[in-house]
Amino acid sequence: MARRPVPPKDLLSVSDIASDLDRLLVRAEALKTERARGVKRPLLAGRNLGMIFEKPSTRTRVSFEVAMNDLGGHAIYLSSRDLQLGRGETIADTARVLSRFVDAVSYRAFHHADMVELARWASVPVINALDDLEHPCQVTADLLTMRERWRGRFAGRRLAWVGDGNNVLHSLLLGAAAVGLSLSVATPSGYRPQPEYVRAAEVLTRGTKATVSLTTDPEEAVRGADAIYTDVWVSMGEESETKAREEAFRGFQVNDALVALAKASAFVLHDLPAHRGQEITDSVLDGPRSAAWDQAENRLHAQKAILERFLGPRTRPRVRQ
Ligand code: CP
Ligand code: NVA
């Protein structure tokens, strides 16, 4: 009998959940329905999550905390500035010590290499809460939002990305491909996604009818699309590039004229926080086609499914180092 492969210990990239994504989204939807009905299940009773943040956060922090609380567990906010990490204690030592206290660690990092280092030394699961390469929790919520609006079916749908070839796009390339959703990406020529992510997405789309295409023309990407997604032009940690980026991204604003090129039923996604008047206009973000607020709420439901998957009762026991 074929044995199911052992699931990875950590969620560092969407590739760690790619084979499981459909099931994770179904579970997130079920947890959302339960919450709406006022049902609370202590699926993570007695479990503790340590949350290391090197960068600010509103949605990720609060959704992790509320998710742990709703599931009967506890979350501890750890600003890297206040940890000994900020005074030079190594990531490896931090990982080994935290693993003696908590059942999982979420980490928002500047550098993906630090994420990998933390996961290497932690005996407990590490969940990527955003780094310079990926934002897997965000994209799980994004797919949940699209799945709801398309009544569970991604096949035959196309999402247009307009903006930077950044961490969110990398995760979206993998996530969309994994669920069979086509993606048209428009970025300025110097801001394309890393080619490894495009190649990995192309591999994941094999066996589906989904496609991945890249262009430097936002209109080409958006024309006939079922949804449009944009993100900030300047991500956290890139502030010194602000001027050059504002120049390069002129023409990549998601405004009413651009949205009019998509299908009449198309909706608009933004992971937030938004820079209103830059990558998106007030009229689009606050308008009837904006899905951004549902998308933000879905961070909570997606995070619950992720937490249950990575630190729930069915998780393997860990050997402590
Ligand atoms: N979208 C997102 O990750 O938001 P925060 O930076 O507020 O966590
Ligand atoms: N690309 C953005 C996402 C913020 C949630 C950043 O990294 O700052």
Side-chain angles (χ1 to χ4, degrees):
M1 193 173 75
R3 263 200 273 165
R4 286 187 60 204
V6 179
K9 171 176 86 73
D10 310 296
L11 171 50
L12 306 190
S13 160
V14 170
S15 55
D16 295 323
I17 46 172
S19 59
D20 229 14
L21 207 39
D22 280 314
R23 209 165 354 153
L24 211 56
L25 296 175
V26 169
R27 184 65 184 141
E29 217 165 75
L31 289 163
K32 180 171 183 174
T33 306
E34 284 190 354
R35 188 175 205 256
R37 291 191 183 135
V39 178
K40 285 206 175 180
R41 290 208 285 145
L43 299 164
L44 298 182
R47 302 274 165 146
N48 290 293
L49 173 73
M51 307 187 298
I52 305 176
F53 281 88
E54 289 181 359
K55 304 177 186 182
S57 170
T58 299
R59 282 142 287 266
T60 307
R61 175 185 176 177
V62 176
S63 57
F64 266 124
E65 283 197 30
V66 174
M68 284 303 289
N69 190 51
D70 278 3
L71 297 175
H74 183 66
I76 307 162
Y77 176 74
L78 303 164
S79 160
S80 61
R81 275 194 310 271
D82 300 332
L83 291 171
Q84 297 289 8
L85 193 59
R87 292 182 54 243
E89 185 168 20
T90 66
I91 289 176
D93 291 353
T94 304
R96 288 192 288 185
V97 171
L98 287 180
S99 298
R100 301 286 179 116
F101 296 134
V102 299
D103 301 287
V105 178
S106 66
Y107 185 23
R108 172 163 286 195
F110 279 100
H111 307 293
H112 186 73
D114 292 342
M115 185 73 65
V116 172
E117 174 78 352
L118 189 84
R120 179 178 163 221
W121 288 98
S123 58
V124 297
V126 171
I127 298 172
N128 183 343
L130 178 148
D131 61 26
D132 53 340
L133 287 188
E134 283 211 41
H135 198 0
C137 297
Q138 175 68 53
V139 162
T140 309
D142 302 339
L143 292 170
L144 174 61
T145 310
M146 289 182 260
R147 195 177 182 282
E148 286 173 337
R149 288 179 182 238
W150 294 331
R151 299 185 192 283
R153 286 187 60 80
F154 291 108
R157 300 286 186 179
R158 182 167 60 83
L159 172 66
W161 173 274
V162 178
D164 190 15
N166 65 13
N167 46 5
V168 175
L169 176 59
H170 287 159
S171 289
L172 197 60
L173 276 160
L174 301 175
V179 299
L181 166 65
S182 292
L183 189 57
S184 319
V185 174
T187 66
S189 59
Y191 296 90
R192 290 196 172 98
Q194 293 194 1
E196 303 82 82
Y197 281 95
V198 179
R199 275 197 295 273
E202 283 164 353
V203 170
L204 282 170
T205 55
R206 281 183 204 151
T208 74
K209 292 204 171 106
T211 57
V212 183
S213 63
L214 300 188
T215 175
T216 54
D217 179 358
E219 294 190 0
E220 181 189 325
V222 165
R223 199 164 284 120
D226 295 281
I228 304 168
Y229 196 150
T230 190
D231 184 18
V232 290
W233 295 341
V234 183
S235 283
M236 291 178 277
E238 296 173 341
E239 290 76 8
S240 64
E241 300 171 27
T242 300
K243 203 164 173 295
R245 283 176 168 270
E246 283 174 6
E247 290 278 306
F249 286 94
R250 209 172 288 149
F252 283 75
Q253 183 184 69
V254 174
N255 52 33
D256 291 317
L258 191 69
V259 173
L261 299 176
K263 284 194 181 145
S265 57
F267 52 89
V268 178
L269 297 155
H270 193 307
D271 52 322
L272 305 174
H275 284 77
R276 290 166 175 268
Q278 284 201 348
E279 77 277 0
I280 194 162
T281 57
D282 288 338
S283 66
V284 172
L285 189 58
D286 299 328
R289 300 173 81 167
S290 172
W293 315 108
D294 290 340
Q295 186 185 359
E297 179 194 323
N298 279 339
R299 292 295 308 275
L300 172 64
H301 313 299
Q303 226 99 282
K304 281 185 185 171
I306 288 169
L307 287 166
E308 183 189 32
R309 159 82 177 63
F310 281 86
L311 77 158
R314 279 163 298 175
T315 335
R316 309 166 281 178
R318 314 274 168 226
V319 179
R320 302 263 180 202
Q321 295 184 39

